[in-house]
Structures are given as C-alpha cells and as structure tokens.
Amino acid sequence: MPVSDSPKTASTFTNDALGNDDATALAERIRSRDVSVTELIQAAIDRLHKAEPLVHSVVAERYEQMLKAAAKLDAEDSLADAPFFTGVPTFIKDNTDVAGMPTGQGSEAIPAGHPVKHTSPFAQQLLAQGFLCLGKSTMPEFGFNASTEPAHDAPSRNPWNLAYSTGASSGGSAALVASGAVPIAHANDGGGSIRIPAACCGLVGLKPSRGRVIDNDAAKSLPINIVSDGVVTRSVRDTANFIYQAERYYRNPKLPAVGKVEGAPEKRLRIGLVLDSINGHKTDEMTRNTVEATARKLEAQGHSIEPVATPVNSSFPDDFAMYWALLAFGMKLNGRKLAHPDFDKRRVDGLTQGLDRMFRRGFWKMPAVLWRLRRARFEYARAMTDFDAVLTPVLGHTTPRLGHLSPNVPFDTLFDRLTRYANFTPLANVTGTPAISVPMALTPENLPVSVQLMGKHGDERTLLQLAFALESEYSLW
C-alpha cells in the first residue's frame, strides 16, 4: 500500500527496522543478526501507536512484556537453531486464549479485563514457531458477523479506505497486517472469517483443511467442526511457511503432508470456475470481472479452466444459516460455561439475538439439517474427482461501507445483506476442505478485490502453488 498522509487511509510503512519486509524476510534478518528483535518489536509498537487511532484493531496489548522477551532473545549467543519465526511480532484474535490476557470474543456480554490462566492448543502451536504476541486483535461478537463492528465499541476500519469494513471475523488482525503494524497475525474461520477479512484488506488468507492444525476446545464441541485456525499475511510465502512450520509442531497422520511450498505448480491443472452463488444472488460486476480476469491469467499459464456448478445440494444456504443460528442459540444459552461464569446474555448484540430467535423458530429442522450438512463433504469430494481446484469469488460483492453490516441494523435486513455478501465461503467450512483468498484487483475506491481457490481435502499444497502463480502476476505489496 502506498504511504499516505491522507486521513482516508492508514499506512504505517516507513524506513524503520520493519521496513516493507514480510514475516519470512524479518525472520531471516533476525537469525543473521542483521536486525535485533528489540528493534523490530519497538518498530511494531511505534507503528501500532500510529495505526490504532485510525483502524481501531487492538483490544488488549502487552508491549512492555514483549520488549523484555525481545531483550532476552537478543542476549542469546545464537538463534540459528531457534524456531523459524523467532522474534517476529504478531497478534492473536480475541476468541483464542493466551495465558495472562483476557478473551472477550468481541462481546459486551463477557466481563472485560479478566486474564485467562491457560494458552489454547492452537495458540501454543502458533507461538511455538517463535512469534512474539503483542496483544489481542478485535472481532465482531463471537465471530458471527462478516464485519468487525462490535455494537459496544468503535468499528475496526479498513486501512485501504477508512470508511469501509475490514471484514470479519478476523477483521482486527487483517487491519493490523494491512496497515503495516505487524507482518502476520492470527485468524480463524468458521464461515469465511480468515478469507473474508483477507479479501477486504488485500491479504493472503488460507483456511486449512479440517484437522490440519490443532483444534481449539470450542471447535471440538461442535456437532460439525466448521472452525479452522490460521493466519493472514501480505505474502504467499509467509502463509506457506506458517503451514510448514505448524506441521513441524504437529502433523496430522490422517492428512497428506503439505511440506515446504516455494512456487507455482509445475504441472497443468484442471480448475473449475464458479461465478455466482448457489443462493441465487448475482455476483457484482467488479467481483465477477476480477474472477474472470484471474481465470484468463491461469489459462495463460497453461491450466485448464472449465465452468462448473457449485458442488453442493441446493438446500445448503438455508442449512448453513440454521447451523449458524444454532451456534448463536448455544452461546446465548450456555455462555456461562462456554465463555465466562459472569456471562450476561442480556448484553448480546442484535445479530446474536436475531440468530437465536431464528433457531428457536426452526429448531425442529436440525436433525435433517445436520444430516445434509454432513453429507456435503461427500458431495463435494465426488464433484472434485476430476478437478484440482475451483476458482470462485470470495464475496458476492465488493467491500461495503461501515454501517452496512452493523449489528444495529434490523435483523431481517442485516441477515439478507449477509447472505448476499458472505455466500461463497461457508462451503469449505462445512466440507472441511482448504480454501485460500488471494488479492487480484483494486476498486476505484482503493479497495482490494480478491478471488478464492478451493481444493480437495488435505491438498493445501496445490492451493498454495496456485497462489504463488497468481502473486507472480499481481501483487498489492
């Protein structure tokens, strides 16, 4: 993103220790002692002080603690054998526990300021790579919305254009990375919450296959585990290296190894093309044109592109909506057990309230809904037999202005807007398959437009290779 003094944008890139480097370059510079960890952490803190008043994406910080951790790393004789990302600054999303910090899940229903005692399993896997966590990033309540606009607090703003949404539910992380404050940040995805903010903020966002990384406790308790954890980054290689390092900490024996991915695919691939959502809403012109242009780029690289129907039953949008409502009902009913002993269900926002009412009206449908959703992964697998990947939009239309998806919008209007917007991402969550968001254009309003590549279960490798190929054709950074 070009550096700008305009109040319409929020770019902190400057000639400091962080420079324009991605996380991989910073990790290499730290190991070679080209830069000290303290210099990097201090540069990140300085950038955060500049970015935060504009993007509002930090919900809790521990800057002084990380400066002390950085000093200890700098005192080490050698970092040659240290974890790959040692000393690289990051943030962890506010629905994931880190010992000594509060977990608020973007909700006023959870009392503020109560630090947790334990670090969640996935956060351990992430931090084992050597990252220094500077704090927790903002999110909408319980991750239910597609825009980071908590009802009780200021919205997180898109660094490319501050009048617009940063996406969700990992919107705070995406804004921090896109603004240049940190090079990489934690995200997780239960219906698009890695890919949507990545798309809005011009980042790379990979939702891994179900089981690729360690599940957090909340994911294990779901009737269908739709949640995957990962990161948002400014480069494909950062995402690829994150997955490679995560596998070195924990490798699921039920999945093929991703391994180290460093470039474009060497063989010709067969790629399906989907332009419109199964729910009947037409994709807007800018998004559609971007996907079609991307298809032409892939075709020019030697791959075969073939239009295909969305590989899922026509009831899928309604079924996913009911599952989404079930999660809201469960949180409102069991918040004291799931979130905090003093959880106050009277303080949940309008979206959570509306989803809860939706579930109560249609709860009797759930046995059939769950049966069909569980079958979706088999239907998807059959449809993918002859394809290596499928190219789709990430979203039904370009990034909306702040307020369009506010939880204060009347529920029926908000729900309709959400189904027109976040209509391509949920399929990968239900089927457990990997999917990646890659930026490929800019709108006249200076907002990124991204495409989605979906793959076969366990085949993140092909998606990362295709993402490398697209990055070689177009890059915002």
Side-chain angles (χ1 to χ4, degrees), residues 1 12 25 103 111 123 126 142 144 149 165 184 214 237-238 250 276 304 309 323-324 329 332 390 395 421 442 451:
M1 186 193 307
T12 66
T103 300
L126 183 149
F142 311 126
F144 293 152
E149 303 180 50
S165 169
I184 186 171
I214 298 175
R237 71 172 183 171
D238 276 359
Y250 163 76
D276 292 309
S304 171
Y323 190 79
W324 183 13
F329 168 79
K332 191 176 174 187
V390 175
L395 295 157
Y421 181 55
L442 273 177
V451 301

Side-chain angles (χ1 to χ4, degrees), residues 3-252:
V3 176
S4 172
D5 293 327
S6 166
K8 292 182 179 179
T9 63
S11 174
T12 66
F13 292 97
T14 189
N15 188 27
D16 59 10
L18 289 168
N20 293 320
D21 286 340
D22 64 2
T24 297
L26 293 174
E28 292 167 349
R29 289 176 60 204
I30 288 169
R31 276 196 305 280
S32 67
R33 300 292 192 179
D34 176 59
V35 66
S36 73
V37 180
T38 299
E39 287 175 312
L40 287 185
I41 297 302
Q42 186 60 61
I45 293 168
D46 291 343
R47 289 189 181 194
L48 285 158
H49 287 319
K50 294 176 183 176
E52 181 56 12
L54 297 174
V55 298
H56 193 75
S57 294
V58 176
V59 72
E61 54 91 351
R62 54 176 189 176
Y63 300 162
E64 292 303 318
Q65 184 179 340
M66 290 302 99
L67 281 171
K68 292 177 182 177
K72 289 182 179 179
L73 288 170
D74 288 332
E76 295 284 336
D77 291 335
S78 172
L79 296 177
D81 297 324
F84 182 79
F85 285 112
T86 290
V88 174
T90 193
F91 271 74
I92 289 179
K93 186 176 172 180
D94 194 33
N95 61 357
T96 301
D97 288 346
V98 177
M101 300 189 76
T103 300
Q105 300 200 43
S107 177
E108 194 178 21
I110 297 174
H114 294 276
V116 300
K117 295 181 179 179
H118 304 287
T119 298
S120 71
F122 175 78
Q124 292 178 37
Q125 185 176 18
L126 183 149
L127 295 173
Q129 298 186 32
F131 292 108
L132 295 184
C133 174
L134 288 170
K136 303 291 279 297
S137 60
T138 54
M139 60 180 289
E141 184 168 272
F142 311 126
F144 293 152
N145 206 346
S147 185
T148 303
E149 303 180 50
H152 65 288
D153 202 356
S156 295
R157 296 179 178 273
N158 195 315
W160 291 87
N161 188 324
L162 296 171
Y164 286 78
S165 169
T166 188
S169 63
S170 309
S173 288
L176 292 171
V177 175
S179 69
V182 292
I184 186 171
H186 167 237
N188 47 31
D189 192 317
S193 295
I194 294 174
R195 292 157 289 158
I196 292 171
C200 293
C201 295
L203 306 176
V204 178
L206 171 68
K207 184 204 82 70
S209 297
R210 182 183 293 138
R212 173 66 68 191
V213 299
I214 298 175
D215 285 334
N216 279 322
D217 293 335
K220 295 175 184 177
S221 67
L222 297 175
I224 300 173
N225 180 8
I226 60 173
V227 180
S228 293
D229 283 87
V231 291
V232 286
T233 68
R234 295 193 298 266
S235 69
V236 176
R237 71 172 183 171
D238 276 359
T239 295
N241 284 333
F242 170 81
I243 290 293
Y244 177 59
Q245 297 300 324
E247 273 194 316
R248 299 183 71 178
Y249 179 88
Y250 163 76
R251 161 115 155 62
N252 188 336

Side-chain angles (χ1 to χ4, degrees), residues 376-449:
R377 67 187 181 101
F378 302 109
E379 295 167 354
Y380 179 87
R382 283 195 299 271
M384 289 293 290
T385 300
D386 297 324
F387 290 93
D388 298 292
V390 175
L391 173 66
T392 81
V394 180
L395 295 157
H397 59 77
T398 56
T399 304
R401 282 183 172 271
L402 288 166
H404 182 74
L405 297 177
S406 166
N408 295 321
V409 170
F411 176 74
D412 289 345
T413 301
L414 175 57
F415 188 78
D416 179 66
R417 290 176 179 178
L418 286 168
T419 57
R420 292 173 184 273
Y421 181 55
N423 48 10
F424 287 94
T425 51
L427 179 58
N429 298 89
V430 171
T431 59
T433 51
I436 192 168
S437 171
V438 184
M440 291 303 297
L442 273 177
T443 71
E445 295 78 24
N446 197 47
L447 292 162
V449 183

Side-chain angles (χ1 to χ4, degrees), residues 277-289:
S277 169
I278 193 173
N279 65 12
H281 298 308
K282 200 80 170 174
T283 303
D284 80 342
E285 184 178 5
M286 180 73 194
T287 303
R288 190 182 189 91
N289 290 345

